[in-house]
Amino acid sequence: MKFLLAALLLAITYLGWRHWRKTAQARYLDDFPLHKLLDRRLAARRPELDAAQRATVLDGLREYFLFCRQAGRRMVAMPSQAADDAWHEFILFTRQYDAFCRQAFGRFLHHTPAEAMRSPTQASEGLRRAWRLACAHEGIDRNKPDRLPRLFALDAHLGIAGGFAYQLDCMAARQGGDASGYCASHIGCSSGYGGGGGSGCSGDSDSGYSGSDSGSSGCGGGCGGGGD
């Protein structure tokens, strides 16, 4: 009996500690001064963006970090080139970035370029995970979305050169003669892994590729994996 009570107390203590840790990480991520740290660096990298637009990009990066925290060690692809640029600038502050990762995630968050991922499937799964988390965050039906999540709409909204532009209704766009961009229509279909009229980004395969460039994954990189 004493052993069972001790085990129960230990389990309750552990669960309480985990809840406190997750709450502390979320608060730290919300309060971290990303804008103050990165605005000037992002302005130099993307001089075409004004202050309000840069703030939007950095808000997108904060959302992405939130998704990485929620996903744990599972891969989350980056669906915005602009937010990926800001992430690159953050990594250059090596000590600050390392300290941020330890506080926000409990580990170092690695950046993995799409071309360095183990396979196209890894990039595809990471993009679907980003879609599911972004839709849940904004209350969007991931299977029948009525709009793109902010992080997926960011590059097109800002007119980012070399950015990732996603089409919500890919079939209508193609019928109208617009074959540009990446297809987001069916990323969340069939338990989040495609199906029906298409799958992943492409609408016709599970490769994670789509739109005008079948050699691109539609994501700038990803977080996940790696050791402490």
Side-chain angles (χ1 to χ4, degrees):
M1 180 64 71
K2 289 183 178 180
F3 174 78
L4 291 176
L5 288 175
L8 180 61
L9 180 61
L10 183 62
I12 292 173
T13 301
Y14 173 71
L15 290 174
W17 173 81
R18 282 192 63 186
H19 176 74
W20 171 85
R21 185 168 179 261
K22 288 182 178 180
T23 301
Q25 287 177 341
R27 186 180 304 114
Y28 177 83
L29 184 52
D30 286 341
D31 295 340
F32 189 83
L34 273 178
H35 294 68
K36 182 178 180 180
L37 180 66
L38 298 178
D39 182 68
R40 290 179 62 184
R41 297 292 294 264
L42 183 58
R45 184 159 184 155
R46 288 282 182 180
E48 70 273 20
L49 300 179
D50 61 28
Q53 291 172 322
R54 294 194 302 272
T56 300
V57 171
L58 294 171
D59 285 341
L61 179 60
R62 193 187 303 273
E63 275 194 6
Y64 176 73
F65 285 150
L66 171 63
F67 303 153
C68 289
R69 190 184 69 81
Q70 293 173 338
R73 294 183 180 275
R74 293 172 296 175
M75 174 64 67
V76 180
M78 167 61 85
S80 164
Q81 184 59 59
D84 194 55
D85 289 345
W87 188 8
H88 276 271
E89 294 302 323
F90 193 6
I91 292 172
L92 295 177
F93 291 94
T94 53
R95 291 185 179 181
Q96 291 95 326
Y97 181 70
D98 180 71
F100 167 81
C101 289
R102 303 294 175 182
Q103 289 291 328
F105 312 110
R107 62 187 177 86
F108 188 85
L109 188 70
H110 292 277
H111 180 284
T112 306
E115 60 269 19
M117 292 182 187
R118 292 191 301 271
S119 68
T121 299
Q122 185 185 28
S124 176
E125 290 175 351
L127 191 63
R128 294 189 190 102
R129 186 167 293 113
W131 176 266
R132 294 196 301 271
L133 290 168
C135 286
H137 184 66
E138 297 182 39
I140 299 172
D141 185 338
R142 72 188 190 193
N143 297 323
K144 297 180 180 179
D146 58 358
R147 62 182 174 86
L148 292 171
R150 286 186 294 269
L151 198 56
F152 282 78
L154 185 60
D155 287 3
H157 174 68
L158 297 178
I160 297 296
F164 304 118
Y166 294 87
Q167 297 279 5
L168 187 59
D169 189 340
C170 306
M171 185 170 293
R174 288 169 181 170
Q175 289 175 347
D178 183 3
S180 64
Y182 299 94
C183 181
S185 297
H186 304 294
I187 295 177
C189 291
S190 185
S191 300
Y193 284 89
S199 62
C201 301
S202 66
D204 56 8
S205 74
D206 197 29
S207 67
Y209 299 158
S210 66
S212 58
D213 183 0
S214 61
S216 172
S217 66
C219 53
C223 69
D228 290 340

